[in-house]
Amino acid sequence: MPTLAELDGLYGRYGSFAAMESLALYEGVLGAEGDRFDPRVSARILASRGRTASDYVRLGLERKRLQDEFWSACAGFDAVLAPTVAVLPPRTNDLGADEAYFAANARVLRNTQLFNLLGVPAVSVPCGRMVGFMIAARPHEEALVLSVAHALTGRSVSAGG
């Protein structure tokens, strides 16, 4: 879907909610005790330093526009089903440099990131070899997501654990 491709590019254009919010909350701690943080995590957070409040607001506005577009395109469907991960995750030790780590991380988390950006409830159930099967629905449809997961697995699934 073109909407998902556009959604996938939001963080590149405006930064990420998590990084900008973490910077606002932890910048002082990172400056004083940065060595206590995973260097890859602190690098992501500190990369937000040049972002403006306008970037944060635009990210929210674009996200809302794309949410509306996506769910309009899904009219008539109760839920979206997708692989939880786009590719099988590599072993961390096989990645070497940070560039390889971040590239692999982006590929592996692409599907879940898209639905996180859509701001919707989603659950992953076992499916195949380490891939998982993600069930997502419109905002506030947690009960639907959990009932579909139960129907697919025969297991009771609960929110938050």
Side-chain angles (χ1 to χ4, degrees):
M1 291 179 85
T3 302
L4 291 179
E6 194 174 346
L7 192 64
D8 192 34
L10 283 185
Y11 282 170
R13 284 198 314 267
Y14 301 113
S16 84
F17 290 113
M20 288 188 275
E21 291 168 5
S22 295
L23 182 66
L25 293 169
Y26 303 112
E27 187 172 21
V29 176
L30 279 168
E33 303 175 54
D35 58 328
R36 295 182 60 198
F37 284 74
D38 180 299
R40 291 173 174 155
V41 172
S42 59
R44 280 188 176 168
I45 294 169
L46 293 173
S48 294
R49 274 192 169 144
R51 296 288 180 178
T52 65
S54 297
D55 286 335
Y56 188 83
V57 171
R58 284 187 185 104
L59 177 60
L61 293 171
E62 285 297 299
R63 172 187 177 176
K64 175 66 173 124
R65 179 183 65 79
L66 293 169
Q67 285 171 329
D68 293 346
E69 234 176 73
F70 179 80
W71 292 114
S72 290
C74 292
F77 295 100
D78 293 327
V80 175
L81 309 175
T84 302
V85 295
V87 297
L88 292 177
R91 294 174 47 90
T92 304
N93 291 343
D94 295 341
L95 294 174
D98 284 350
E99 286 178 26
Y101 172 86
F102 287 126
N105 193 50
R107 281 191 309 276
V108 170
L109 298 178
R110 183 196 69 200
N111 293 0
T112 55
Q113 177 180 294
L114 290 173
F115 287 91
N116 286 340
L117 271 168
L118 285 171
V120 301
V123 64
S124 179
V125 296
C127 172
R129 191 175 155 252
M130 295 174 52
V131 174
F133 195 64
M134 181 172 46
I135 303 138
R138 287 172 179 75
H140 313 293
E141 292 287 343
E142 288 84 355
L144 172 65
V145 168
L146 295 175
S147 70
V148 172
H150 176 69
L152 289 173
T153 65
R155 294 185 187 143
S156 180
V157 181
S158 64

